[in-house]
Amino acid sequence: MATDKNQLRVGRLLKAHGLKGALKLELYTDNPERRFVPGAEFTLQVPEASAWHGKTITIRDYRVMNGSSVVFLEGVEDRTAAESLVKAILWMDEDDEVEDDAWYAHQLAGLDVVRDDQVIGRVVRVEHLPAQDLLIVKTDSAEVMVPFVSAIVPTVDIAAGRVIVTPPAGLFEELPSAADAADEADAADETASE
């Protein structure tokens, strides 16, 4: 089955839930209600030794139970079948419907990071954390974790190949320590009193 679309990682099956084949789901998407609709099909990433290798699965139902995302899959009717899918990663074809101010990780990787019209680094990857996503930016001296929020990353320009950042002081450079600041103040006082 050849496809000219990119595949997107949208979730990982964490563990069996209950006795009827449900699985808890770790989400890698901001819009699970749209992704995990009944009939949605996903490519499975599992070890080659798995009976599920090379297969796809179809969603029967998606629910939020006790704060956890849970999926029911066609052909997975009991806990034993569900346990055979634990740790599987779910992939789907990229669609053209992207929300405003939403980007895929592969679109962000490789973009220049610009502050005050100067390129200060390059996005090497995106890390998805429960609270927020982080852009991992490679600078000349280190990798910097930049919270991917509009206050710090106000502009993403895929066409121009860059993101503009307005980071707080100290995110990309060492701030002087309190002791350094005190030494500078003492030196300024001595100069002023001479």
Side-chain angles (χ1 to χ4, degrees):
M1 166 178 103
T3 178
D4 57 356
K5 290 195 171 199
N6 287 321
Q7 288 265 301
L8 301 172
R9 183 179 68 159
V10 293
R12 183 168 66 100
L13 301 173
L14 294 176
K15 66 181 191 174
H17 180 80
L19 302 175
K20 297 185 179 177
L23 286 133
K24 283 192 177 179
L25 178 67
E26 177 181 12
L27 298 174
Y28 301 142
T29 176
D30 292 334
N31 199 344
E33 291 81 11
R34 190 172 67 96
R35 297 275 186 224
F36 298 103
V37 296
E41 189 173 271
F42 298 91
T43 303
L44 290 168
Q45 179 182 336
V46 293
E48 286 185 28
S50 169
W52 294 96
H53 187 263
K55 295 184 179 178
T56 60
I57 52 110
T58 303
I59 300 294
R60 238 182 20 207
D61 194 12
Y62 168 81
R63 300 178 194 166
V64 176
M65 302 171 89
N66 297 327
S68 296
S69 294
V70 175
V71 288
F72 293 82
L73 308 171
E74 289 185 8
V76 180
E77 306 296 333
D78 60 29
R79 187 174 186 90
T80 302
E83 287 173 347
S84 71
L85 280 163
V86 169
K87 296 186 182 174
I89 296 175
L90 306 179
W91 293 80
M92 69 178 299
D93 288 341
E94 176 181 316
D95 57 24
D96 298 324
E97 271 184 57
V98 179
E99 305 129 40
D100 292 340
D101 294 334
W103 299 273
Y104 295 118
H106 72 269
Q107 292 176 300
L108 299 168
L111 295 182
D112 286 334
V113 177
V114 178
R115 178 178 66 181
D116 300 329
D117 295 322
Q118 297 289 318
V119 175
I120 57 172
R122 181 172 296 246
V123 177
V124 290
R125 68 185 179 280
V126 179
E127 290 192 3
H128 305 282
L129 301 180
Q132 68 199 16
D133 292 340
L134 294 175
L135 297 180
I136 307 303
V137 176
K138 177 84 172 121
T139 66
D140 289 338
S141 58
E143 280 191 357
V144 179
M145 295 185 290
V146 179
F148 193 24
V149 294
S150 59
I152 298 174
V153 187
T155 305
V156 174
D157 190 340
I158 302 291
R162 67 185 189 160
V163 296
I164 295 174
V165 295
T166 54
L171 188 62
F172 283 95
E173 62 277 325
E174 291 288 323
L175 290 176
S177 70
D180 292 342
D183 290 346
E184 287 175 20
D186 290 346
D189 287 346
E190 286 174 17
T191 306
S193 63
E194 288 175 1

